[in-house]
Amino acid sequence: MSFYSPLYLILILGLIPLILMYLLKKEHEDIVLSSNYLWDKMLRDMEANKPWQKLRNNLLLILQIILFTLIVLALARPQIFKGSINSDNLIIVLDKSASMKNKDINGITRFEKAKEEIEDLIKSTKANTKTTLISMDNKPNILISNSRDKSVLKKKLNEIVVNDSSDNIKDTLSIVKALIKDTDNYDLVFFTDKEIDTDIDNLKVNKINEKETNISLDNMSYSKNDKNITALTTVTNHSNREQSFDISIYGDDQILDVQEVKLKAKESRDIYFDNVNKNTNVLKAEIDIEDSLDVDNSRYLVINSDPIKKVLIVSEKGNIFLEKAIGINENIEVYKSNEKLPNDLKGYDVYIFDGKVPKDIPKDGNIVMFNPNNNNLFNVSNGDKNGEIKLINDELFKYVNLDFYIDKTNVIEKTNWLRPILTLNDKPVIAKGIRDNQKMVVVGFDIRNTDLPLKIDFPIFIQNILDYTLNINTQEKVEVLAGENIDINILPKSKQVNIINPKGEKQKITSPSYSNTSYKGVYTIEQVTDDETLKSYFVSNIDTSKESIDIKETHEGNLVKNDNQYKVRTGKDIRNLILILALIVISLEWVVYNRGY
Amino acid sequence: MSQNLIDSKLIKKLERLSLNSNLVLDKGFMGGRKSKSKGSSVEFSDFREYTEGDDFRKIDWNAYARFEKLFIKLFTEEREASVNIFIDTTKSMDYGNPKKSFIASQIAAVIGYVSILNMDRVSIYTTKESRLDYIENINGKNLFRKLVNYIETLSFKETKDMFELINKRPFKKGISVIISDMFTDNFETAIKYLSYMNQNIIVIHTLSKEELKPKYVGDIRFIDSETKEGKDVTITLETLVAYEKTLDSFLSNIKETCTKYGCFYSLIENDDIEEIIFNNLINTGILR
């Protein structure tokens, strides 16, 4: 038994005046007797036998002492069955990872259950216990430290929201170790469904888990062929019974396919979905079942447009400058051709024609032309030897110094879809434009006739051209596990980058490292440039290897390891019981007073 | 006193009673009791030869006819006994319903009357202002009124223990009647002294019902009527039992002392004087 507010026990000193009052100032009924001769004799006899008779005879006093003691006890709020939290420092760690969403405890989630228990635990601590509250997902977070204010603790506790990430027990333990470094007088309680394996003393793990009936989607991938995509997802039945359910697959929120799956207990199976449209951006697989943990019932996948860009350079003599400048990009594969091209040329992201332009310009990919001849799209003519070069401000010349010399150039005849960028005597030398969704950049001179390749600005210029033509807007990493960091590939031209999380909240980011991925789902990256907003996606999925699995599975054959399992035995406040006892004593006293025992 | 100590009806009943005593007297005035002395009474005692100077009226002529010698018939002289009635007039006697003092007065009057009838000399001793007060040598019915007056004017408010005063003066051989509640530790000393003074002792112990069977409850301060001292007692079943025990040992102590000195003893619990006389006093052999 312990007391919530033991200070009140000092009031027990009040018994002294109570007893003194009885001894000294007892109200006696005065009765005149013939003589006290016999009573004196009697008292002498009695007192000789029992010196404590005076008190013992006083049933009323005894009852009043009991009553007083009970009231003081009630003030001190005794609690039984507690015992476990006795130290002055209490550290509570609450797991807020995805698995805590498991609804296996009488319909409420493990997280809610843990919260309830923590609330009880905080309530039952002594008034002078300093409590530190830590939440744990993929990084530990000290919400409040060394607080004696239970209302603040409760408020902080209620602010904790469970998310979809997995937890980082190792980091949490090291934080906790730092906290307890200087003291032995602490109690550490973990509220988690995971196994905590550490050498910290005074550790208590309150494992919040029961039988679960979880089905999880463990991973998802795809393979691409010419026409379409085959998606693969692994589904695992973590429960102990056979279950059957439907798996649906969605492409950009349109339902594509449904399969019925029947899984035996603990069985895991790969499910394939063929014929998924190639142009889908995001795939989502979903299990249609009511199980204990529903966050792992869906999984997302970004279909990445091929990260490797293919660039074809068509040049009769070969252009080493271009090859080198383009080749510094790791995600670009450079193909060279000086032979006659087939008519139905296709399959590249960018075609660079150095010199001669073929009759049939490829219909896919974007086009860059250096020193073109007349063709079906536009005509060129010889440019003036001397003249005024004027730059119309454009992203192609971003960070490029115009300090270069052009020996000989053609000028491009005005075409309505081509916009001049560099002009010689008001005639376009470099132009760009979009025709039938094909981006084109036309440079009127042969770079070998300039000193541009010798300048340090040349790779930048080429890179700018590639940026424009290649749509380099690829988010390289498109999948994270909830809570993990992701590097956002920010384009150099981006003015502002926003990330829209699965809840629809838009957030402007300033650093390429983004960590707010603790909710599963599709995150949209918006890159705002001068003239357009480019969108790319990444997805956050549950780490099912940690979060979906029943603890019993992870520690099979090691089940004995439950010696630090701890249940919050919330001090049962027996104040009411004591008050009832006090009432009984009062009525007893009344009876005694009336009957005069 | 509102009530008469003794009424004429009772007096008639008392005519035939006398104090029981085997006392043999050798001194004193003529009275109604046997004595060692020979004298003029109707009770024959002995014969003796006539000597000169004897009253020749006492010669037994029948004996002379038979033996031709002169014999004188001797008769026992009847003497009066002195009856000393000790009435405890301490404040404690002024208690009870009816008051012990009243009962004691009645008993004293009855015994006094009976003694006077038997031609005894009655003295009443009480305490007054811490000294022994008395009326002595009442004999003859015509003095009975005086005795009753004395008894009636007694005030029971002394604090001095009468038993301490008894041995301050001598008593003639006779009968001593002690009427008291015996709340004293000097009882035995007094009895011893009276016994030494050749007294036939009769102890009449008056206790009120409240003293014999107290019916109090709760915390009580008992105030001694004599000393005004208070005593805090919490009355519980246990204390009542203890009281009963104490009372028992108190009574048996007194009885023991009485047996030791050959006293008559009677505990008066009744409140009706006739019942007292016929149940207590006659039954215990005090009166006959």
Side-chain angles (χ1 to χ4, degrees):
Chain A
M1 186 155 111
S2 62
F3 295 97
Y4 175 75
S5 32
L7 260 186
Y8 276 109
L9 290 179
I10 288 177
L11 287 181
I12 213 89
L13 289 177
L15 278 178
I16 295 171
L18 185 73
I19 296 171
L20 281 182
M21 249 148 51
Y22 255 83
L23 291 180
L24 302 177
K25 271 196 82 180
K26 237 164 71 174
E27 278 297 320
H28 286 281
E29 195 184 341
D30 282 359
I31 287 184
V32 178
L33 267 193
S34 56
S35 169
N36 284 348
Y37 180 76
L38 286 175
W39 291 105
D40 281 348
K41 256 182 177 321
M42 179 209 86
L43 289 176
R44 245 177 284 137
D45 289 352
M46 287 184 79
E47 281 165 17
N49 292 338
K50 305 156 190 170
W52 38 275
Q53 197 74 33
K54 259 188 180 172
L55 282 187
R56 219 206 72 165
N57 280 343
N58 248 316
L59 200 52
L60 280 178
L61 173 61
I62 290 167
L63 286 175
Q64 273 168 24
I65 289 173
I66 293 171
L67 182 66
F68 191 89
T69 314
L70 285 176
I71 289 171
V72 171
L73 276 182
L75 279 175
R77 289 169 67 181
Q79 296 176 334
I80 49 170
F81 310 132
K82 211 181 104 192
S84 48
I85 303 295
N86 281 325
S87 52
D88 293 340
N89 297 292
L90 172 63
I91 300 168
I92 299 172
V93 182
L94 172 59
D95 184 351
K96 59 170 183 175
S97 65
S99 62
M100 294 296 279
K101 284 183 173 175
N102 219 317
K103 282 191 199 141
D104 53 353
I105 299 165
N106 299 327
I108 62 165
T109 62
R110 293 174 181 177
F111 184 72
E112 284 161 6
K113 174 76 176 161
K115 262 188 169 180
E116 277 173 21
E117 293 198 2
I118 292 174
E119 210 174 309
D120 286 345
L121 180 65
I122 290 174
K123 230 188 266 170
S124 71
T125 52
K126 282 180 279 185
N128 62 346
T129 303
K130 288 188 279 185
T131 306
T132 301
L133 188 59
I134 300 175
S135 70
M136 166 174 86
D137 50 0
N138 67 321
K139 55 186 176 293
N141 188 7
I142 300 179
L143 298 167
I144 185 165
S145 65
N146 291 336
S147 170
R148 288 197 178 94
D149 189 337
K150 294 190 177 184
S151 58
V152 173
L153 281 167
K154 203 176 151 188
K155 195 171 145 241
K156 288 281 177 194
L157 175 67
N158 285 332
E159 281 169 8
I160 306 177
V161 180
V162 63
N163 60 38
D164 298 338
S165 49
S166 57
D167 40 27
N168 190 339
I169 292 167
K170 204 175 138 207
D171 282 7
T172 310
L173 285 176
S174 56
I175 267 204
V176 165
K177 274 181 184 163
L179 281 175
I180 60 175
K181 201 170 62 182
D182 296 329
T183 176
D184 282 331
N185 187 9
Y186 66 90
D187 274 301
L188 169 62
V189 189
F190 267 82
F191 288 82
T192 180
D193 50 3
K194 309 291 191 315
E195 196 70 44
I196 309 286
D197 191 8
T198 177
D199 55 351
I200 298 181
D201 302 328
N202 301 354
L203 170 77
K204 301 177 176 80
V205 181
N206 189 350
K207 277 210 210 93
I208 313 272
N209 65 324
E210 305 226 331
K211 255 195 215 152
E212 52 181 332
T213 56
N214 191 24
I215 309 274
S216 68
L217 282 174
D218 292 339
N219 59 53
M220 200 172 174
S221 59
Y222 71 96
S223 63
K224 229 179 193 177
N225 59 20
D226 281 350
K227 287 173 189 157
N228 47 32
I229 293 171
T230 301
L232 160 76
T233 183
T234 310
V235 59
T236 308
N237 179 4
H238 296 279
S239 73
N240 287 317
R241 57 186 159 92
E242 191 182 80
Q243 304 215 49
S244 63
F245 45 85
D246 290 342
I247 299 183
S248 323
I249 190 151
Y250 298 83
D252 294 333
D253 289 339
Q254 300 287 316
I255 189 155
L256 301 178
D257 196 2
V258 178
Q259 285 191 29
E260 199 184 327
V261 180
K262 192 181 236 179
L263 282 183
K264 293 193 190 95
K266 309 284 180 202
E267 191 190 348
S268 186
R269 194 187 298 166
D270 294 338
I271 310 290
Y272 293 92
F273 293 94
D274 298 325
N275 300 325
V276 175
N277 187 345
K278 209 175 170 182
N279 293 328
T280 310
N281 282 322
V282 178
L283 278 181
K284 174 191 178 191
E286 192 172 52
I287 309 171
D288 185 17
I289 192 170
E290 287 267 327
D291 62 357
S292 54
L293 182 62
D294 51 14
V295 286
D296 59 3
N297 289 0
S298 55
R299 216 170 171 86
Y300 299 86
L301 179 66
V302 174
I303 306 289
N304 214 345
S305 48
D306 236 335
I308 302 297
K309 300 289 186 184
K310 291 200 271 186
V311 174
L312 177 67
I313 303 176
V314 182
S315 172
E316 280 176 8
K317 296 169 249 173
N319 191 329
I320 191 78
F321 301 118
L322 275 179
E323 285 167 27
K324 289 286 180 200
I326 294 169
I328 52 176
N329 289 295
E330 279 177 3
N331 54 349
I332 293 177
E333 281 176 11
V334 183
Y335 297 84
K336 295 179 285 184
S337 168
N338 49 12
E339 289 169 16
K340 196 171 187 297
L341 297 163
N343 285 341
D344 53 346
L345 187 65
K346 63 174 182 180
Y348 297 93
D349 296 293
V350 174
Y351 301 89
I352 299 177
F353 297 107
D354 183 26
K356 204 174 171 209
V357 178
K359 218 161 116 194
D360 297 316
I361 288 171
K363 294 280 180 283
D364 66 338
N366 296 324
I367 313 284
V368 179
M369 300 175 191
F370 288 97
N371 191 21
N373 47 0
N374 287 335
N375 54 57
N376 332 354
L377 303 177
F378 55 85
N379 289 323
V380 293
S381 56
N382 285 332
D384 300 335
K385 263 269 185 218
N386 299 306
E388 186 195 1
I389 289 182
K390 207 163 90 187
L391 178 69
I392 295 153
N393 197 17
D394 191 86
E395 60 177 315
L396 290 186
F397 276 90
K398 208 174 192 178
Y399 311 120
V400 177
N401 211 331
L402 256 191
D403 184 20
F404 63 90
Y405 169 75
I406 303 170
D407 181 37
K408 188 176 114 187
T409 181
N410 289 335
V411 292
I412 304 152
E413 298 293 316
K414 279 208 168 97
T415 317
N416 51 4
W417 52 268
L418 272 177
R419 190 164 66 79
I421 290 163
L422 191 76
T423 55
L424 175 66
N425 294 335
D426 288 339
K427 287 178 182 158
V429 174
I430 299 176
K432 70 172 187 181
I434 298 171
R435 183 177 175 273
D436 296 339
N437 284 329
Q438 261 184 317
K439 283 181 182 170
M440 293 205 184
V441 175
V442 183
V443 180
F445 49 84
D446 185 345
I447 52 170
R448 280 163 289 217
N449 292 332
T450 67
D451 64 349
L452 182 61
L454 308 175
K455 303 270 180 188
I456 51 168
D457 299 356
F458 179 67
I460 302 174
F461 175 63
I462 296 298
Q463 197 62 41
N464 286 344
I465 291 174
L466 288 175
D467 277 352
Y468 177 66
T469 53
L470 268 181
N471 295 328
I472 300 183
N473 179 27
T474 41
Q475 176 58 28
E476 274 176 50
K477 197 175 176 192
V478 290
E479 183 178 9
V480 284
L481 296 172
E484 282 181 357
N485 270 2
I486 184 166
D487 287 334
I488 306 291
N489 297 75
I490 298 177
L491 299 176
K493 57 187 177 182
S494 292
K495 292 262 190 263
Q496 185 184 329
V497 182
N498 299 320
I499 290 186
I500 303 166
N501 72 7
K503 290 180 168 178
E505 294 158 356
K506 195 182 229 180
Q507 191 189 1
K508 184 178 165 184
I509 61 163
T510 47
S511 118
S513 178
Y514 183 72
S515 59
N516 262 337
T517 61
S518 47
Y519 294 99
K520 63 146 193 187
V522 182
Y523 289 72
T524 309
I525 308 167
E526 274 184 357
Q527 309 220 26
V528 183
T529 62
D530 282 336
D531 22 81
E532 57 188 335
T533 299
L534 299 167
K535 283 191 180 175
S536 56
Y537 305 94
F538 70 90
V539 291
S540 168
N541 282 317
I542 307 290
D543 185 357
T544 53
S545 65
K546 283 184 184 167
E547 299 299 320
S548 299
I549 297 171
D550 196 345
I551 295 164
K552 289 165 198 132
E553 294 176 48
T554 53
H555 287 271
E556 262 173 326
N558 202 6
L559 277 176
V560 203
K561 217 184 146 170
N562 263 347
D563 48 348
N564 58 1
Q565 167 64 6
Y566 163 75
K567 280 282 161 215
V568 174
R569 283 175 300 164
T570 44
K572 189 153 170 55
D573 200 335
I574 54 170
R575 181 190 225 171
N576 286 347
L577 191 74
I578 285 178
L579 287 178
I580 289 170
L581 270 180
L583 272 182
I584 293 172
V585 171
I586 284 181
S587 29
L588 260 181
E589 178 156 356
W590 190 80
V591 169
V592 167
Y593 180 76
N594 274 282
R595 299 266 188 94
Y597 286 117
Chain B
M1 224 169 265
S2 57
Q3 218 179 325
N4 278 334
L5 283 178
I6 195 160
D7 54 20
S8 51
K9 238 174 156 182
L10 181 63
I11 280 178
K12 265 186 197 148
K13 289 179 184 168
L14 293 177
E15 304 275 330
R16 286 178 291 118
L17 293 175
S18 67
L19 268 181
N20 186 15
S21 166
N22 50 5
L23 190 69
V24 177
L25 299 159
D26 50 0
K27 284 173 188 164
F29 300 99
M30 296 274 280
R33 288 187 183 276
K34 271 194 259 179
S35 72
K36 278 195 228 166
S37 318
K38 314 294 179 208
S40 50
S41 77
V42 289
E43 207 153 332
F44 171 77
S45 167
D46 205 357
F47 290 104
R48 112 172 127 76
E49 261 186 276
Y50 176 77
T51 55
E52 281 178 33
D54 282 339
D55 189 354
F56 50 80
R57 287 178 296 180
K58 288 181 181 171
I59 293 173
D60 189 349
W61 297 107
N62 293 333
Y64 176 71
R66 228 171 281 158
F67 303 107
E68 294 190 340
K69 271 186 181 173
L70 288 171
F71 286 96
I72 284 177
K73 247 179 156 175
L74 290 178
F75 295 89
T76 357
E77 168 117 325
E78 288 194 317
R79 295 265 173 91
E80 59 178 10
S82 66
V83 175
N84 306 312
I85 304 176
F86 296 92
I87 306 176
D88 186 354
T89 53
T90 51
K91 188 93 172 92
S92 67
M93 291 291 285
D94 191 21
Y95 181 81
N97 186 28
K99 288 188 171 171
K100 291 188 282 181
S101 55
F102 181 66
I103 305 279
S105 300
Q106 278 186 317
I107 293 171
V110 166
I111 288 175
Y113 184 70
V114 169
S115 302
I116 286 170
L117 276 185
N118 286 295
M119 304 211 294
D120 287 327
R121 193 176 290 269
V122 178
S123 302
I124 293 183
Y125 298 93
T126 62
T127 41
K128 193 171 185 183
E129 288 157 6
S130 303
R131 282 183 299 110
L132 209 57
D133 188 61
Y134 45 81
I135 175 171
E136 284 188 308
N137 301 330
I138 304 292
N139 56 353
K141 271 188 181 176
N142 45 355
L143 284 178
F144 179 60
R145 191 66 239 163
K146 194 179 164 191
L147 184 132
V148 171
N149 276 344
Y150 178 79
I151 294 175
E152 277 181 343
T153 51
L154 285 178
S155 58
F156 291 80
K157 51 187 161 196
E158 286 301 313
T159 53
K160 183 75 179 172
D161 187 3
M162 181 181 69
F163 294 88
E164 283 176 38
L165 301 169
I166 287 176
N167 56 5
K168 296 284 186 286
R169 56 163 293 157
F171 296 97
K172 269 192 263 176
K173 184 172 181 180
I175 299 167
S176 284
V177 181
I178 299 172
I179 309 171
S180 170
D181 49 17
M182 309 294 171
F183 289 149
T184 174
D185 293 325
N186 300 315
F187 173 68
E188 190 171 354
T189 344
I191 295 287
K192 207 167 165 182
Y193 177 74
L194 287 175
S195 176
Y196 166 71
M197 284 285 157
N198 292 316
Q199 301 292 312
N200 243 1
I201 305 164
I202 295 167
V203 176
I204 294 173
H205 194 178
T206 51
L207 284 179
S208 71
K209 278 174 192 155
E210 290 87 339
E211 285 155 345
L212 290 166
K213 279 210 178 325
K215 280 180 181 156
Y216 307 111
V217 148
D219 290 334
I220 287 170
R221 166 166 293 165
F222 290 121
I223 296 173
D224 191 311
S225 57
E226 291 174 23
T227 59
K228 302 292 176 204
E229 270 174 25
K231 196 85 198 174
D232 296 340
V233 181
T234 306
I235 306 291
T236 61
L237 284 176
E238 203 174 342
T239 45
L240 286 180
V241 167
Y243 180 84
E244 215 171 293
K245 253 189 203 167
T246 314
L247 180 69
D248 279 351
S249 76
F250 167 66
L251 291 179
S252 59
N253 242 345
I254 289 172
K255 276 181 198 161
E256 215 172 274
T257 312
C258 290
T259 319
K260 196 165 153 192
Y261 293 97
C263 317
F264 290 104
Y265 171 84
S266 179
L267 174 65
I268 307 296
E269 302 173 43
N270 292 314
D271 46 12
D272 182 47
I273 185 66
E274 273 191 44
E275 271 179 45
I276 293 171
I277 291 164
F278 295 104
N279 286 345
N280 293 73
L281 300 184
I282 293 179
N283 277 359
T284 47
I286 293 169
L287 291 178
R288 64 175 176 196

